[in-house]
Structure formats: structure tokens, C-alpha cells
């Protein structure tokens, strides 16, 4: 399906500052270490956001893509860059909705990711100090984390695509 296609592209970079010789494809052909111009060349619908977000590590949202469809739901894709190098892609649910609906979104996306990549490597569900559910997959050295957070009346679903930390054990490949 469409999700499998995301990870079918491998791009070789000769002068990548990261230790990997092969650039990890994070999402939809956008690979770790790509510049904003390279991402835009791959995904022309991506635009520079008016008010960019920033991650805790200081990475800045250099590009954004609205109206991404995932498992029948609408998401916004945010491309976070460390300097000029793509570090993370986050898909966030666009509309803030009722909690029960977000649970359904989480389930739908979890099923789609499981269909594409097999059972998650890790699952976590906490209720304190607020409800937080997460599932995690490793795909060709990239890490996909699906997160549902519900705090008070607010709740959101995120799908985070990043390169796994270098000190993590190598991912187990289930498929040959």
C-alpha cells in the first residue's frame, strides 16, 4: 500500500555529516540530512510555515505540508531541520476533536502502521499525570512513533519519524 511506498526509496549521500552512509528515509521520500530545498524538490506541496514550531532540541520547522491523508484521517506534516539538515518529520492531527475520536484515530493509524511494518516493537500506555499512549516501530534504521496524548479537554495524535539514536541496539528485521 501507500505506507510501504514511503520506505521504498533509498538515497545514497556521499557527503553526509551523519555516520550513516545511507540516508534514512524518514517519510515519503524525505531523507534524514536533506536540505529544505531537497525536501521541496521531492514534495512540492511543502511550504515554509508563517509561524514555525520548534522542537525541544532546538530543531526548527522549516517546511510544512497541510492536508496529508493517513488511515482515512487528515494530518499536517511538519519538517524539522537542525541547521540545514532534515532531522525529524512529525505528522500531527489537524483538528482538535473529542477524546473518543482521537482514540479512534490512534487505533486506525496503529492498524495502518502494523499492516505496513508488522507488530510494534514497543507499546506504552500511561494514565498519570495525563493519558499517553504510544507505539513504536523501527524501519530500516528510522524510528516511527505513534503518540496519543490527552490532557484535560485537549488531545492530539502525532506520528513522529526520526532516526533512531546511535546508542540504541540495532533494529531486528522481521522480514528478510
Amino acid at each position: 500500500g501507500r505506507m510501504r511506498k514511503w520506505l521504498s526509496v533509498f538515497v545514497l549521500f556521499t557527503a553526509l555529516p551523519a555516520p550513516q552512509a545511507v540516508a534514512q528515509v524518514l517519510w515519503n521520500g524525505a531523507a534524514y540530512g536533506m536540505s529544505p530545498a531537497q525536501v521541496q524538490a521531492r514534495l512540492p506541496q511543502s511550504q515554509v510555515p508563517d509561524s514555525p514550531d520548534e522542537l525541544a532540541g532546538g530543531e526548527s520547522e522549516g517546511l510544512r505540508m497541510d492536508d496529508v491523508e493517513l488511515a482515512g484521517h487528515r494530518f499536517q506534516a511538519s519538517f524539522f531541520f537542525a541547521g540545514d539538515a532534515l532531522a525529524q518529520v512529525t505528522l500531527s492531527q489537524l483538528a482538535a476533536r473529542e477524546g473518543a475520536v482521537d482514540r479512534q484515530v490512534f487505533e486506525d493509524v496503529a492498524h495502518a502502521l502494523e499492516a505496513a511494518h508488522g507488530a510494534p516493537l514497543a507499546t506504552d500506555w500511561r494514565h498519570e499525570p495525563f493519558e499517553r499512549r504510544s507505539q513504536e516501530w523501527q524501519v530500516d534504521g528510522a524510528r516511527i512513533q505513534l503518540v496519543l496524548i490527552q490532557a484535560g479537554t485537549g488531545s492530539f495524535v502525532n506520528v513522529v519519524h526520526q532516526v533512531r539514536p546511535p546508542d540504541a541496539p540495532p533494529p531486528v528485521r522481521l522480514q528478510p
Side-chain angles (χ1 to χ4, degrees), residues 35-53:
S35 69
Q38 287 173 310
V39 172
Q40 270 193 309
R42 279 221 161 261
L43 301 164
Q45 319 89 293
S46 59
Q47 302 292 326
V48 177
D50 293 331
S51 49
D53 279 336

Side-chain angles (χ1 to χ4, degrees), residues 1 9 25 41 56 59 65 92 94 109 115 145 160 163 165:
V9 189
V25 174
E59 300 86 352
M65 204 166 125
S92 315
L94 275 179
V109 174
Q145 191 180 31
V160 178
V163 172

Side-chain angles (χ1 to χ4, degrees), residues 2 7 20 25-26 28 38 42 62 89 92 100 102-103 130 136 146 150 163 165 168-169:
R2 195 173 20 216
L7 297 144
Q20 299 98 334
V25 174
L26 295 181
N28 232 2
Q38 287 173 310
R42 279 221 161 261
V89 182
S92 315
D102 283 324
R103 275 201 198 93
F130 46 79
E136 195 176 307
L146 169 63
Q150 295 185 297
V163 172

